[in-house]
Amino acid sequence: MPAEAQEVPYEVDGYPRSLVGTGAKRIDCSSFCAWILMAHYALLWDREAYEALQIYDAAQPFSNVDLLISRGISPQMRLPEAHSWHLVQTWEGTAGASPGHSRLAYHDGSATALCLESTESSAASGPQWRRCEWSDLLSRSAVRIARV
């Protein structure tokens, strides 16, 4: 059974303020990342961008990362850039047809990323900060990253 969900982190700029302090504890990973990115980039405030950030089309399983590249927010990249935030989209198997996860990850120059994500797992549930190994993130079946 998952641990009790945590209240939305107050310090996360871009999280829908209407949910802060309401007891809201769950938001899916792509919506969480979309809200934060839309709060920081005005050019993401349109229907096409929202649908891409939400990965509405399973035939385009990296539409969130591809959008950031096509709109000039991020260059195409294979490896994270030190001292930068990244959107990391992973899939456990075939991209778009298996469990996937979106998260924001900060590369502090070490092998460990500081991840900001919303998840439901055996360890915790809801928006949270946690440490992730870059080697683990980049070794998933299917992965793409964008600098944000």
Side-chain angles (χ1 to χ4, degrees), residues 91-138:
W91 296 92
E92 295 304 319
T94 303
S98 62
H101 190 57
S102 302
R103 63 178 56 85
L104 297 170
Y106 182 74
H107 189 322
D108 64 2
S110 74
T112 304
L114 175 60
C115 293
L116 177 59
E117 61 189 348
S118 186
T119 187
E120 189 168 327
S121 69
S122 58
S125 208
Q128 59 192 278
W129 294 98
R130 73 182 183 99
R131 292 282 179 184
C132 305
E133 294 298 318
W134 279 110
S135 60
D136 178 50
L137 294 176
L138 298 175

Coordinates of all heavy atoms in Angstrom, one line a residue, residues 91-138:
W91 N 9.9 5.6 -20.5 CA 8.9 4.5 -20.7 C 9.6 3.2 -20.3 O 10.8 3.0 -20.6 CB 8.5 4.5 -22.2 CG 7.8 5.7 -22.6 CD1 8.4 6.8 -23.2 CD2 6.4 6.0 -22.5 NE1 7.4 7.8 -23.4 CE2 6.2 7.3 -23.0 CE3 5.3 5.3 -22.0 CZ2 5.0 7.9 -23.0 CZ3 4.1 5.8 -22.0 CH2 3.9 7.1 -22.6
E92 N 8.9 2.3 -19.7 CA 9.4 1.1 -19.2 C 9.6 0.0 -20.3 O 10.4 -0.9 -20.2 CB 8.6 0.5 -18.1 CG 8.5 1.4 -16.8 CD 9.9 1.6 -16.3 OE1 10.8 0.7 -16.2 OE2 10.2 2.8 -15.9
G93 N 8.8 0.2 -21.3 CA 8.9 -0.8 -22.5 C 8.8 0.0 -23.7 O 9.4 1.0 -23.9
T94 N 7.9 -0.4 -24.6 CA 7.7 0.3 -25.9 C 7.1 1.6 -25.6 O 6.1 1.8 -24.9 CB 6.7 -0.5 -26.7 OG1 7.2 -1.8 -27.0 CG2 6.5 0.1 -28.1
A95 N 7.7 2.7 -26.1 CA 7.3 4.0 -25.9 C 5.8 4.2 -26.3 O 5.5 3.9 -27.4 CB 8.2 5.0 -26.6
G96 N 5.0 4.7 -25.4 CA 3.6 5.0 -25.7 C 2.7 3.8 -25.4 O 1.5 4.0 -25.4
A97 N 3.2 2.6 -25.3 CA 2.4 1.4 -25.1 C 2.8 0.7 -23.8 O 2.4 -0.4 -23.6 CB 2.6 0.5 -26.3
S98 N 3.5 1.4 -22.9 CA 3.9 0.8 -21.6 C 3.9 1.9 -20.6 O 3.7 3.1 -20.9 CB 5.3 0.2 -21.8 OG 6.2 1.3 -22.0
P99 N 4.0 1.5 -19.3 CA 4.0 2.6 -18.3 C 5.1 3.6 -18.6 O 6.3 3.3 -18.9 CB 4.3 1.8 -17.0 CG 3.8 0.4 -17.3 CD 4.1 0.2 -18.7
G100 N 4.7 4.9 -18.5 CA 5.7 6.0 -18.7 C 5.7 6.9 -17.5 O 4.8 6.9 -16.7
H101 N 6.6 7.8 -17.5 CA 6.7 8.8 -16.4 C 7.4 10.0 -16.9 O 8.4 10.0 -17.5 CB 7.5 8.2 -15.2 CG 7.4 9.0 -14.0 ND1 6.2 9.3 -13.4 CD2 8.3 9.5 -13.2 CE1 6.4 10.0 -12.3 NE2 7.7 10.2 -12.2
S102 N 6.8 11.2 -16.5 CA 7.4 12.5 -16.7 C 7.9 13.1 -15.4 O 7.2 12.9 -14.4 CB 6.4 13.5 -17.3 OG 5.8 13.0 -18.5
R103 N 9.1 13.7 -15.4 CA 9.6 14.3 -14.2 C 10.5 15.4 -14.6 O 11.1 15.5 -15.7 CB 10.4 13.3 -13.3 CG 11.6 12.7 -14.0 CD 12.4 11.7 -13.2 NE 11.7 10.6 -12.7 CZ 11.5 9.4 -13.4 NH1 11.9 9.3 -14.6 NH2 10.9 8.4 -12.8
L104 N 10.7 16.3 -13.7 CA 11.7 17.4 -13.8 C 12.9 17.0 -13.0 O 12.8 16.5 -11.9 CB 11.2 18.7 -13.3 CG 10.0 19.2 -14.2 CD1 9.3 20.4 -13.5 CD2 10.4 19.6 -15.6
A105 N 14.1 17.1 -13.5 CA 15.3 16.6 -12.8 C 16.4 17.7 -13.0 O 16.7 18.2 -14.1 CB 15.8 15.3 -13.4
Y106 N 17.0 18.0 -11.8 CA 18.1 18.9 -11.8 C 19.5 18.2 -11.8 O 19.6 17.3 -11.0 CB 18.0 19.9 -10.6 CG 19.1 20.9 -10.6 CD1 19.1 22.0 -11.4 CD2 20.2 20.8 -9.7 CE1 20.1 22.9 -11.5 CE2 21.2 21.7 -9.7 CZ 21.2 22.8 -10.6 OH 22.2 23.7 -10.6
H107 N 20.4 18.6 -12.7 CA 21.7 18.0 -12.7 C 22.6 18.9 -12.0 O 23.0 20.0 -12.5 CB 22.1 17.8 -14.2 CG 23.4 17.0 -14.4 ND1 24.5 17.0 -13.5 CD2 23.7 16.1 -15.3 CE1 25.4 16.2 -13.9 NE2 25.0 15.6 -15.0
D108 N 23.1 18.5 -10.8 CA 24.0 19.3 -10.0 C 25.5 19.0 -10.3 O 26.3 19.5 -9.6 CB 23.7 19.1 -8.5 CG 24.0 17.7 -8.0 OD1 24.4 16.9 -8.8 OD2 23.7 17.5 -6.8
G109 N 25.7 18.3 -11.3 CA 27.1 17.9 -11.7 C 27.6 16.6 -11.1 O 28.6 16.1 -11.4
S110 N 26.7 16.0 -10.4 CA 27.0 14.7 -9.8 C 26.3 13.6 -10.6 O 25.5 13.8 -11.5 CB 26.6 14.6 -8.3 OG 25.2 14.5 -8.2
A111 N 26.4 12.3 -10.1 CA 25.7 11.2 -10.7 C 24.3 11.1 -10.3 O 23.5 10.3 -10.8 CB 26.4 9.9 -10.4
T112 N 23.9 11.9 -9.3 CA 22.5 11.9 -8.8 C 21.7 13.2 -9.2 O 22.3 14.3 -9.1 CB 22.6 11.8 -7.2 OG1 23.4 10.7 -6.9 CG2 21.2 11.7 -6.6
A113 N 20.5 13.0 -9.6 CA 19.6 14.1 -10.0 C 18.7 14.4 -8.8 O 18.3 13.5 -8.1 CB 18.8 13.7 -11.2
L114 N 18.3 15.6 -8.7 CA 17.3 16.0 -7.8 C 16.0 16.1 -8.6 O 15.9 16.9 -9.5 CB 17.5 17.4 -7.2 CG 16.4 18.0 -6.3 CD1 16.1 17.0 -5.1 CD2 16.8 19.4 -5.8
C115 N 15.1 15.1 -8.3 CA 13.9 15.0 -9.2 C 12.7 15.6 -8.4 O 12.5 15.5 -7.2 CB 13.6 13.5 -9.4 SG 14.8 12.8 -10.5
L116 N 11.9 16.4 -9.2 CA 10.6 16.9 -8.8 C 9.6 16.2 -9.6 O 9.6 16.4 -10.8 CB 10.6 18.4 -9.0 CG 9.3 19.1 -8.6 CD1 8.9 18.9 -7.1 CD2 9.4 20.6 -8.9
E117 N 8.7 15.5 -9.0 CA 7.8 14.7 -9.7 C 6.5 14.4 -8.9 O 6.5 14.6 -7.7 CB 8.4 13.3 -10.1 CG 8.8 12.5 -8.9 CD 9.7 11.3 -9.2 OE1 9.8 10.9 -10.4 OE2 10.2 10.7 -8.3
S118 N 5.5 14.0 -9.6 CA 4.3 13.5 -9.0 C 4.1 12.0 -9.3 O 4.2 11.7 -10.5 CB 3.1 14.3 -9.4 OG 1.9 13.9 -8.7
T119 N 4.0 11.2 -8.3 CA 4.0 9.8 -8.6 C 3.2 9.1 -7.6 O 2.9 9.6 -6.5 CB 5.4 9.2 -8.6 OG1 5.4 7.9 -9.0 CG2 6.1 9.3 -7.2
E120 N 2.8 7.9 -7.9 CA 2.1 7.0 -6.9 C 2.9 5.7 -6.9 O 3.1 5.0 -7.9 CB 0.7 6.7 -7.4 CG -0.1 5.9 -6.3 CD -1.5 5.9 -6.5 OE1 -2.1 6.8 -7.1 OE2 -2.1 4.9 -6.1
S121 N 3.6 5.4 -5.8 CA 4.4 4.3 -5.7 C 4.3 3.6 -4.3 O 3.5 4.1 -3.5 CB 5.9 4.7 -6.0 OG 6.3 5.5 -4.9
S122 N 5.0 2.6 -4.1 CA 5.0 1.9 -2.8 C 5.7 2.8 -1.8 O 5.4 2.6 -0.6 CB 5.7 0.6 -2.9 OG 7.0 0.7 -3.3
A123 N 6.5 3.7 -2.2 CA 7.3 4.5 -1.2 C 6.5 5.8 -0.8 O 6.5 6.2 0.3 CB 8.6 4.9 -1.8
A124 N 5.9 6.4 -1.8 CA 5.2 7.7 -1.6 C 4.2 8.0 -2.7 O 4.2 7.3 -3.7 CB 6.2 8.8 -1.5
S125 N 3.4 9.0 -2.5 CA 2.4 9.3 -3.5 C 2.2 10.8 -3.6 O 2.3 11.5 -2.5 CB 1.1 8.7 -3.1 OG 0.3 8.4 -4.2
G126 N 2.0 11.3 -4.8 CA 1.7 12.7 -4.9 C 3.0 13.5 -5.3 O 4.1 12.9 -5.5
P127 N 3.0 14.8 -5.4 CA 4.1 15.6 -5.7 C 5.2 15.5 -4.6 O 4.9 15.4 -3.4 CB 3.6 17.1 -5.7 CG 2.1 16.9 -5.9 CD 1.8 15.6 -5.2
Q128 N 6.5 15.3 -5.1 CA 7.5 15.1 -4.1 C 8.9 15.4 -4.8 O 9.1 15.4 -6.0 CB 7.5 13.6 -3.7 CG 7.7 12.7 -4.8 CD 7.4 11.3 -4.4 OE1 8.2 10.6 -3.9 NE2 6.2 10.8 -4.7
W129 N 9.8 15.6 -3.9 CA 11.2 15.7 -4.2 C 11.9 14.4 -3.9 O 11.6 13.8 -2.9 CB 11.9 16.8 -3.4 CG 11.5 18.2 -3.6 CD1 10.6 18.9 -2.8 CD2 11.9 19.1 -4.6 NE1 10.5 20.2 -3.3 CE2 11.3 20.3 -4.4 CE3 12.8 19.0 -5.6 CZ2 11.5 21.4 -5.2 CZ3 13.0 20.1 -6.4 CH2 12.4 21.3 -6.2
R130 N 12.8 13.9 -4.8 CA 13.5 12.7 -4.4 C 14.8 12.7 -5.3 O 14.9 13.4 -6.3 CB 12.7 11.5 -4.6 CG 12.5 11.0 -6.0 CD 11.6 9.7 -5.9 NE 11.4 9.2 -7.3 CZ 12.1 8.3 -7.8 NH1 13.0 7.6 -7.2 NH2 11.8 7.9 -9.1
R131 N 15.8 11.9 -4.8 CA 17.0 11.7 -5.5 C 16.9 10.6 -6.5 O 16.4 9.5 -6.1 CB 18.2 11.5 -4.5 CG 18.5 12.7 -3.7 CD 19.3 13.6 -4.5 NE 19.6 14.8 -3.7 CZ 20.3 15.9 -4.3 NH1 20.7 15.8 -5.5 NH2 20.5 16.9 -3.6
C132 N 17.4 10.7 -7.7 CA 17.4 9.7 -8.7 C 18.8 9.6 -9.3 O 19.4 10.6 -9.5 CB 16.4 10.0 -9.8 SG 14.7 10.4 -9.4
E133 N 19.2 8.4 -9.6 CA 20.5 8.2 -10.3 C 20.3 8.5 -11.8 O 19.4 7.9 -12.4 CB 21.0 6.8 -10.0 CG 21.4 6.5 -8.6 CD 22.5 7.3 -8.1 OE1 23.5 7.6 -8.8 OE2 22.4 7.8 -6.9
W134 N 21.2 9.3 -12.3 CA 21.1 9.6 -13.7 C 21.3 8.3 -14.6 O 20.6 8.1 -15.6 CB 22.2 10.6 -14.2 CG 21.7 12.1 -13.9 CD1 22.2 12.9 -12.9 CD2 20.7 12.8 -14.6 NE1 21.6 14.1 -13.0 CE2 20.6 14.1 -14.0 CE3 19.8 12.5 -15.6 CZ2 19.7 15.1 -14.4 CZ3 18.9 13.5 -16.0 CH2 18.9 14.7 -15.4
S135 N 22.1 7.4 -14.1 CA 22.4 6.2 -14.8 C 21.1 5.4 -14.9 O 20.8 4.7 -15.9 CB 23.5 5.4 -14.2 OG 23.2 5.0 -12.9
D136 N 20.3 5.4 -13.9 CA 19.0 4.7 -13.9 C 18.0 5.4 -14.8 O 17.4 4.7 -15.6 CB 18.4 4.6 -12.5 CG 17.1 3.9 -12.4 OD1 16.9 2.8 -13.0 OD2 16.1 4.5 -11.9
L137 N 17.9 6.7 -14.8 CA 17.0 7.4 -15.6 C 17.3 7.2 -17.1 O 16.4 6.9 -17.9 CB 17.0 8.9 -15.3 CG 16.5 9.3 -14.0 CD1 16.7 10.8 -13.8 CD2 15.0 8.9 -13.8
L138 N 18.6 7.2 -17.4 CA 19.0 7.2 -18.8 C 19.1 5.7 -19.4 O 19.3 5.5 -20.6 CB 20.4 7.9 -19.0 CG 20.4 9.4 -18.7 CD1 21.8 9.9 -18.7 CD2 19.4 10.1 -19.5

